[in-house]
Amino acid sequence: MGNQDMTIHTQPGGELQMSPSTYSRLINFLREDLSISAASLAVALRHREQDPGPLPMILWQYGLITLEQLEQIYDWMDAA
């Protein structure tokens, strides 16, 4: 089973202050537009359970995305 077969089941964090549908679109944006693997997202979400924070920052702190990708995510979030 490759990473593309994994399904991510998450709930939005309160700190993101976005609706579940917007949060789902964010996950899709991360997966499809930025090509973040399901495994990378799963790692970030596990860390987030232990140390809550904005998902984009956790992805960046753990080296799962570049600073440029982080900027793209925040641009997307501003437009959402």
Side-chain angles (χ1 to χ4, degrees):
M1 177 167 93
N3 287 344
Q4 301 304 320
D5 297 331
M6 293 177 67
T7 301
I8 304 240
H9 297 286
T10 61
Q11 293 296 318
E15 74 281 358
L16 290 179
Q17 298 179 351
M18 61 176 60
S19 71
S21 64
T22 303
Y23 188 76
S24 293
R25 288 185 9 244
L26 171 62
I27 297 296
N28 287 338
F29 171 75
L30 295 172
R31 291 284 311 276
E32 296 182 18
D33 292 47
L34 297 185
S35 301
I36 312 272
S37 72
S40 291
L41 286 171
V43 166
L45 292 168
R46 274 196 304 277
H47 284 288
R48 187 172 179 216
E49 289 173 8
Q50 304 299 317
D51 185 16
L55 181 59
M57 286 303 297
I58 293 171
L59 287 165
W60 181 69
Q61 287 172 336
Y62 285 95
L64 302 171
I65 61 172
T66 65
L67 188 57
E68 179 180 318
Q69 288 172 313
L70 180 65
E71 290 173 4
Q72 289 177 302
I73 294 166
Y74 278 113
D75 287 346
W76 183 93
M77 290 173 65
D78 285 343

